Amino acid sequence: MSHHNNIPFDKLFDPQAIAIVGISKSPYGGAFFLRSLQTVGFPKPIYLVNAKLAGTKISGCEIYPSIQSLPEDPFPDLLIIAVAAEGSPEIIEQAGQKGIPFVHIFSSGFSEVGKEGEILEVEILNRARMHGVRIIGPNCLGAYNPRARTAIGENMSAVPGNVAFIGQSGGLSATIGLNGPSRGYYFSKIISIGNQVDLDVLDFLRYFRDDPETRIISAYIENLKRDGNQFVPLLQSITPNKPVVVWKGGISNAGQVAVKSHTGGLAGNFQLWHAMAQQTGVILVDNFEELSEMNLALSMLPIPQTRGVAILTVGGGLSVQFTDACEITGLTVPPLSAATQDILRRFIPDVNTNIRNPIDLGADGLKADTYGRVIKILADEPQISSIIFIRDPERFNHYARVFQIPSETDFGNIFVESIAQGKPTGKIVAFVPAIMVDGEQTRATVARFVQTLQQKQIMAFDNIAAAAKCIYRLWKYGDYLRRRKVREGQLRPVSDN
Amino acid sequence: MSHHNNIPFDKLFDPQAIAIVGISKSPYGGAFFLRSLQTVGFPKPIYLVNAKLAGTKISGCEIYPSIQSLPEDPFPDLLIIAVAAEGSPEIIEQAGQKGIPFVHIFSSGFSEVGKEGEILEVEILNRARMHGVRIIGPNCLGAYNPRARTAIGENMSAVPGNVAFIGQSGGLSATIGLNGPSRGYYFSKIISIGNQVDLDVLDFLRYFRDDPETRIISAYIENLKRDGNQFVPLLQSITPNKPVVVWKGGISNAGQVAVKSHTGGLAGNFQLWHAMAQQTGVILVDNFEELSEMNLALSMLPIPQTRGVAILTVGGGLSVQFTDACEITGLTVPPLSAATQDILRRFIPDVNTNIRNPIDLGADGLKADTYGRVIKILADEPQISSIIFIRDPERFNHYARVFQIPSETDFGNIFVESIAQGKPTGKIVAFVPAIMVDGEQTRATVARFVQTLQQKQIMAFDNIAAAAKCIYRLWKYGDYLRRRKVREGQLRPVSDN
């Protein structure tokens, strides 16, 4: 049903004007979209439609009596419907007569509520087809494009990035739109697709495949609406050039029931999704945090060429714990070469340390620059593609005193600077905090330190399990690309560690 | 070799006086223990031993020329050795002659460094046996008892609790000693056991089994030193009365190598440890965070009688995600009874909500007291043993404005108060934060809110996966106890959901 080449997506993501139906004095419904567009600074006209309030203004925007009466220039390329579900067929009819190419239906009350809603969905689709109108939704938040300053929630970032997100949940789409920039990556576009009565996951996957502003594609998918047989070949046409991250919602039985009530879909079997990932190189993740983390990782980190990880810490127990976590996930913690161990031994004393890998730096590791010195030396270890270092920012104040460095911040800066300078090209360098005294102060201190790292393009994870999982998935994606090249004769087979 | 009945553990955990050998002007070594004891407020004498400094004082503590010359009254029940490994046999010899019952060897440089160290271990053990001296360590931090105000690190809590910890890592033992109180649970005792040349995991398991101050036993174990055949029956004699949490270090191949370098042990196969857990009801955890979390959970939560979880949130996507996470872990999210759904429907509107379970409260859930009202009603659902609720404390300020409540703090207080009042007896009620804008402010706000919950005995987890894992493990422990009672004829078999 979808004809990608014929869909003028530019008008959806960069409309000349936007019209909103369903606005009143209430702060909800249409007013939510008005506020969202105004807080992000949408520079083009926003037309409001309300017969009773026609001729007045809300928040500086003109109210028109009908869709028919909306201006021709600039033309409303996008109409947002925020009225009760029953009213939407008539509005789509009018939008069609007006020639509006895209209608985004915010309203819920369609297939997710049962039979009546399903009938309504058929009706809006018929009307839309008749006039060539394309529908986003219903039951969704629509399109976010920081370049055009459109938004799906209040206070969204106007900073453009290169990560796209397709979300079958409005709440999660808006949340990731805020979460990404707060973690250090930005979006090319986000599309909240809801019940997918017309435009669906596949349409937007095709669009983002060809969108020059998108380098990474991520999605929260509860179900495929149609064209399931096109899913695998479509993804295979994307992953060699752009990584695709998919979080599949509704993988459990009860989760599938929850999907039915959420977006009216039938969530497919998890085994099938895993098989799909194997065939396509899609990076499957398990939840919101992992999806956002993977977007950040793909933005910030190289794809590891081997599974080998070096672990840098102070303390034997931590060494054992972190090694276990990496190996259980599928990564390896191989011993360093004798040559590298010799170099490390020159400045790491012999007592209560381990330089084999995991590297336990002992008391010497408490200094501000030891980690950076070690990381630099690891450049020459070909079997090591990733370096995970563990520190305790809550104690930086203490170390600053011990090593006579002015302040906690200075200590942190020296620490981060020496790591940034030592960071070997093409290798992952990632941080995991060690938390002792938990609570507001420690969490704030760690978050501040993570911010400092972020500014130097060093990624931070909440815990070792998350770091290991993410790095393993990156490796697996690289491995998929390698195997595929071998299969396609572009690469000679090599044994991978 | 160990004769529990003959070991006067009270002298180890509540010594009349402590002597430290290996103190100098340096802030490390013996001085670390002196500082630790003084910051926790150890009220009894601390004797220092140093021939060169004899007659002077350090931090108010008398320095004696030799062990022989130490006072008889109060008698040093515990001697801490912080000199180079080679010096320890002679010191143990002297301690033996003096009649000191416990020697804690802090020094490293024993079996964890190879052959020479192994020989040294045999030597100290022989000397100790000859005189009836019992050794803790070497290569460890010794004993912490908040009641007696002994410590294994600086700034440890003097608040006594009922959680015991046995740690085959000094660093992790000291860290959990700080982490526990910061999360809201306290220790009866902690023992850092190091290389276990004499007293080992089994000795302390036996001790804590019979210790009236201990209600929960936790341990970080890298390897069993001896008497492996006694391990399972010993644990079986403990778990009916006290839960035992074990985090096994060195479960991967590389982790086992790291163990060898850490405490000189040979870490056993993970399959064996899982089989052990099946037979004993021991709660196995995977890392430090999980261990500390489990200690808190066992302190704060009832053991769930069924696997059924109710999920309370705002947002369809979150509902699906949290349901998946619970079900994948082995918990269930069963539909609520028609009667309960009817009651909920009286105050939860019909639009964009779900009251079946997962419970999606929609816009109504944004109010301060809706969660509390729902939780109260769930008391009557026998298949629900646990209630997990998700909120976004970073937005409490916003909601306070919308619902005209004075401040974020007031909003949070009303929210928590209504949950505390609604909390059904015998059911788990636990919080998981939803984080949108990540960063210092949000993390601090969430931590502050977690603190408020903690004061009302409501547990918080960092994320849903952690919550689900922890609750599932609690259920499994309860299930072990039930099955065991059935087997022993104390309970008639019932089918569990």
Side-chain angles (χ1 to χ4, degrees):
Chain A
M1 292 294 274
S2 306
H3 307 283
H4 173 232
N5 294 330
N6 301 334
I7 307 174
F9 275 116
D10 286 352
K11 293 187 176 178
L12 168 63
F13 285 112
D14 190 6
Q16 287 310 299
I18 294 177
I20 303 174
V21 187
I23 198 145
S24 64
K25 299 284 185 199
S26 149
Y28 302 106
F32 166 77
F33 288 97
L34 179 54
R35 278 201 310 281
S36 299
L37 288 166
Q38 290 189 326
T39 57
V40 79
F42 181 62
K44 294 174 182 167
I46 303 169
Y47 308 137
L48 309 178
V49 182
N50 184 318
K52 287 179 194 155
L53 299 173
T56 67
K57 285 185 174 190
I58 291 179
S59 303
C61 297
E62 203 83 49
I63 305 183
Y64 295 85
S66 64
I67 291 168
Q68 203 50 48
S69 63
L70 290 173
E72 289 293 315
D73 189 23
F75 189 76
D77 293 325
L78 173 63
L79 177 76
I80 300 174
I81 301 183
V83 299
E86 304 75 49
S88 48
E90 177 54 27
I91 294 170
I92 288 176
E93 178 64 37
Q94 291 171 22
Q97 288 173 10
K98 180 81 178 177
I100 294 175
F102 286 98
V103 168
H104 153 212
I105 307 179
F106 166 59
S107 325
S108 56
F110 289 87
S111 59
E112 81 279 8
V113 299
K115 204 70 201 162
E116 271 177 59
E118 282 174 27
I119 294 169
L120 213 50
E121 276 189 6
V122 173
E123 201 181 333
I124 56 171
L125 189 58
N126 285 341
R127 304 264 187 144
R129 288 272 180 270
M130 208 158 39
H131 295 287
V133 173
R134 305 309 304 248
I135 298 174
I136 299 98
N139 189 14
C140 73
L141 292 177
Y144 165 53
N145 178 5
R147 279 179 188 80
R149 303 206 172 194
T150 62
I152 58 174
E154 291 173 72
N155 303 312
M156 297 190 73
S157 170
V159 178
N162 52 27
V163 179
F165 179 76
I166 304 168
Q168 202 174 341
S169 158
L172 292 174
S173 300
T175 300
I176 201 155
L178 295 172
N179 187 256
S182 75
R183 299 198 62 172
Y185 70 91
Y186 296 87
F187 290 94
S188 56
K189 279 129 191 164
I190 289 177
I191 185 79
S192 158
I193 56 175
N195 295 10
Q196 309 179 72
V197 66
D198 177 22
L199 293 173
D200 66 0
V201 176
L202 278 81
D203 292 311
F204 288 104
L205 282 172
R206 272 186 214 100
Y207 171 70
F208 288 128
R209 175 188 61 192
D210 303 331
D211 175 28
E213 288 163 355
T214 295
R215 193 173 72 76
I216 295 154
I217 302 172
S218 58
Y220 169 71
I221 303 177
E222 294 188 348
N223 67 314
L224 297 182
K225 199 73 183 193
R226 61 186 76 83
D227 301 334
N229 60 328
Q230 295 176 26
F231 195 50
V232 164
L234 173 56
L235 289 168
Q236 284 173 334
S237 76
I238 303 174
T239 49
N241 305 309
K242 300 180 182 183
V244 179
V245 186
V246 170
W247 162 27
K248 171 69 180 71
I251 61 175
S252 64
N253 287 334
Q256 287 170 25
V257 175
V259 161
K260 180 73 195 151
S261 138
H262 179 217
T263 54
L266 289 174
N269 183 293
F270 193 57
Q271 306 307 322
L272 281 176
W273 285 80
H274 266 283
M276 175 281 291
Q278 289 286 347
Q279 289 172 57
T280 58
V282 157
I283 303 171
L284 275 186
V285 296
D286 297 330
N287 54 49
F288 178 84
E289 289 79 14
E290 286 180 10
L291 182 119
S292 190
E293 203 156 70
M294 187 53 79
N295 282 345
L296 178 60
L298 288 165
S299 303
M300 219 180 228
L301 305 178
I303 303 293
Q305 294 305 302
T306 70
R307 289 192 279 187
V309 177
I311 290 169
L312 236 72
T313 182
V314 173
L318 277 177
S319 297
V320 172
Q321 163 176 12
F322 282 57
T323 301
D324 279 344
C326 286
E327 295 242 335
I328 286 161
T329 309
L331 298 169
T332 62
V333 184
L336 301 181
S337 67
T340 294
Q341 291 195 41
D342 281 348
I343 298 170
L344 291 175
R345 198 41 97 204
R346 282 180 214 156
F347 65 96
I348 298 171
D350 209 8
V351 182
N352 265 335
T353 63
N354 182 358
I355 51 164
R356 197 177 173 276
N357 193 25
I359 306 169
D360 174 0
L361 297 170
D364 210 75
L366 302 178
K367 292 179 194 160
D369 63 347
T370 308
Y371 278 60
R373 291 174 72 183
V374 174
I375 285 172
K376 193 169 188 176
I377 290 161
L378 295 177
D380 296 331
E381 291 286 295
Q383 82 279 29
I384 302 292
S385 292
S386 310
I387 302 162
I388 301 177
F389 66 99
I390 298 94
R391 273 310 293 253
D392 47 355
E394 65 180 288
R395 303 254 299 158
F396 280 6
N397 234 326
H398 170 76
Y399 301 133
R401 278 198 305 278
V402 172
F403 298 108
Q404 302 182 339
I405 289 165
S407 71
E408 170 194 313
T409 310
D410 291 302
F411 186 92
N413 286 344
I414 296 171
F415 183 79
V416 173
E417 191 54 49
S418 84
I419 286 177
Q421 282 178 10
K423 198 170 111 179
T425 314
K427 290 192 201 281
I428 290 174
V429 174
F431 166 74
V432 171
I435 288 182
M436 287 188 285
V437 178
D438 204 349
E440 183 180 351
Q441 208 185 326
T442 298
R443 296 284 175 140
T445 304
V446 169
R448 223 163 35 236
F449 181 66
V450 166
Q451 190 88 31
T452 312
L453 288 168
Q454 218 162 264
Q455 283 156 5
K456 295 281 177 186
Q457 297 288 304
I458 297 166
M459 176 138 180
F461 292 89
D462 273 352
N463 55 63
I464 183 64
K469 224 171 177 184
C470 182
I471 292 172
Y472 176 74
R473 285 167 172 164
L474 287 177
W475 170 80
K476 222 173 135 198
Y477 172 56
D479 190 52
Y480 168 85
L481 295 180
R482 270 190 303 279
R483 285 170 196 274
R484 190 164 155 166
K485 279 186 182 157
V486 169
R487 219 165 41 238
E488 291 168 359
Q490 299 171 41
L491 200 72
R492 288 174 54 191
V494 284
S495 81
D496 162 71
N497 75 327
Chain B
M1 294 292 275
S2 308
H3 308 283
H4 173 232
N5 293 330
N6 302 333
I7 307 174
F9 275 117
D10 286 352
K11 293 187 175 176
L12 168 64
F13 285 112
D14 190 5
Q16 287 310 299
I18 294 176
I20 303 173
V21 187
I23 198 144
S24 64
K25 299 285 185 198
S26 149
Y28 301 106
F32 167 76
F33 288 97
L34 179 54
R35 279 201 309 282
S36 299
L37 288 167
Q38 290 189 329
T39 57
V40 79
F42 181 63
K44 293 173 184 168
I46 303 170
Y47 308 136
L48 310 177
V49 181
N50 184 318
K52 287 180 196 155
L53 300 172
T56 67
K57 284 186 173 188
I58 291 179
S59 303
C61 297
E62 203 82 49
I63 305 183
Y64 295 85
S66 66
I67 292 167
Q68 202 52 48
S69 63
L70 289 171
E72 289 293 314
D73 187 24
F75 189 76
D77 293 325
L78 172 63
L79 178 77
I80 299 174
I81 301 183
V83 299
E86 303 76 51
S88 48
E90 177 53 27
I91 294 170
I92 288 175
E93 178 65 35
Q94 291 170 21
Q97 287 172 9
K98 180 79 179 177
I100 294 174
F102 288 98
V103 167
H104 152 213
I105 307 179
F106 166 61
S107 325
S108 58
F110 290 87
S111 60
E112 80 279 7
V113 299
K115 204 71 199 161
E116 270 177 61
E118 282 173 28
I119 294 169
L120 213 50
E121 276 190 5
V122 173
E123 202 181 333
I124 56 170
L125 188 58
N126 285 342
R127 304 262 188 147
R129 289 272 180 268
M130 209 158 38
H131 295 288
V133 172
R134 304 310 303 249
I135 298 174
I136 299 99
N139 189 15
C140 74
L141 292 177
Y144 165 54
N145 178 6
R147 279 179 190 80
R149 302 205 171 194
T150 62
I152 58 174
E154 291 172 73
N155 304 314
M156 296 189 73
S157 170
V159 178
N162 53 26
V163 179
F165 179 76
I166 305 169
Q168 202 173 342
S169 159
L172 292 174
S173 300
T175 300
I176 201 154
L178 295 172
N179 187 256
S182 75
R183 298 198 63 173
Y185 70 91
Y186 297 86
F187 290 95
S188 54
K189 278 131 191 162
I190 290 178
I191 185 79
S192 158
I193 56 175
N195 295 11
Q196 308 179 73
V197 65
D198 176 22
L199 293 173
D200 66 0
V201 176
L202 278 80
D203 292 311
F204 288 103
L205 282 172
R206 270 187 216 100
Y207 171 70
F208 289 129
R209 175 189 60 191
D210 303 332
D211 175 28
E213 289 163 354
T214 296
R215 194 173 70 78
I216 295 155
I217 302 171
S218 58
Y220 170 70
I221 303 177
E222 295 187 348
N223 67 315
L224 297 182
K225 198 73 182 193
R226 62 186 76 82
D227 302 333
N229 60 328
Q230 294 176 26
F231 195 50
V232 164
L234 172 56
L235 290 167
Q236 285 172 335
S237 76
I238 303 174
T239 50
N241 304 307
K242 300 180 181 182
V244 178
V245 186
V246 170
W247 162 27
K248 172 65 179 72
I251 61 175
S252 65
N253 289 334
Q256 286 170 24
V257 175
V259 161
K260 181 72 194 150
S261 138
H262 180 218
T263 53
L266 288 173
N269 182 292
F270 193 56
Q271 305 308 321
L272 281 177
W273 284 80
H274 266 283
M276 177 280 292
Q278 290 287 344
Q279 289 172 55
T280 60
V282 157
I283 303 171
L284 276 186
V285 296
D286 297 331
N287 53 49
F288 179 84
E289 289 80 14
E290 287 180 10
L291 182 119
S292 191
E293 202 155 71
M294 187 53 78
N295 282 345
L296 178 61
L298 287 165
S299 303
M300 217 179 231
L301 305 179
I303 302 295
Q305 295 305 302
T306 70
R307 289 193 279 188
V309 177
I311 289 169
L312 236 72
T313 181
V314 173
L318 276 178
S319 297
V320 173
Q321 163 177 11
F322 281 57
T323 301
D324 279 345
C326 285
E327 296 243 335
I328 287 161
T329 309
L331 297 169
T332 63
V333 184
L336 301 181
S337 68
T340 294
Q341 291 194 39
D342 282 346
I343 298 170
L344 291 175
R345 197 43 94 206
R346 282 180 213 156
F347 65 97
I348 298 170
D350 209 9
V351 181
N352 264 335
T353 62
N354 183 357
I355 51 163
R356 197 177 173 278
N357 192 24
I359 306 169
D360 174 1
L361 297 170
D364 210 74
L366 302 178
K367 292 179 193 160
D369 63 347
T370 308
Y371 278 60
R373 291 174 72 184
V374 174
I375 285 172
K376 193 168 187 177
I377 291 161
L378 296 177
D380 296 330
E381 291 287 296
Q383 80 280 28
I384 303 291
S385 293
S386 310
I387 302 162
I388 302 176
F389 66 99
I390 298 94
R391 273 310 293 253
D392 48 355
E394 66 180 288
R395 303 253 301 158
F396 280 5
N397 235 326
H398 170 76
Y399 302 132
R401 278 198 305 278
V402 172
F403 298 107
Q404 303 182 338
I405 289 165
S407 70
E408 170 195 313
T409 309
D410 291 302
F411 186 92
N413 287 344
I414 296 172
F415 183 79
V416 173
E417 191 53 48
S418 84
I419 286 176
Q421 281 178 13
K423 198 168 111 180
T425 314
K427 291 192 200 281
I428 289 174
V429 174
F431 166 74
V432 171
I435 287 182
M436 288 189 284
V437 179
D438 204 350
E440 183 179 350
Q441 208 185 326
T442 298
R443 297 283 175 142
T445 304
V446 169
R448 221 161 37 234
F449 181 67
V450 167
Q451 189 88 33
T452 311
L453 289 168
Q454 219 162 264
Q455 282 156 4
K456 295 281 177 187
Q457 297 290 302
I458 298 166
M459 177 140 179
F461 292 90
D462 273 353
N463 55 62
I464 183 63
K469 225 173 178 183
C470 182
I471 292 172
Y472 176 74
R473 285 167 173 165
L474 286 178
W475 171 80
K476 220 172 138 200
Y477 172 56
D479 190 52
Y480 168 84
L481 294 181
R482 268 190 303 278
R483 285 170 198 273
R484 190 163 154 168
K485 278 186 183 157
V486 169
R487 219 165 41 238
E488 292 170 357
Q490 298 171 43
L491 201 73
R492 287 175 52 191
V494 285
S495 79
D496 162 70
N497 75 328

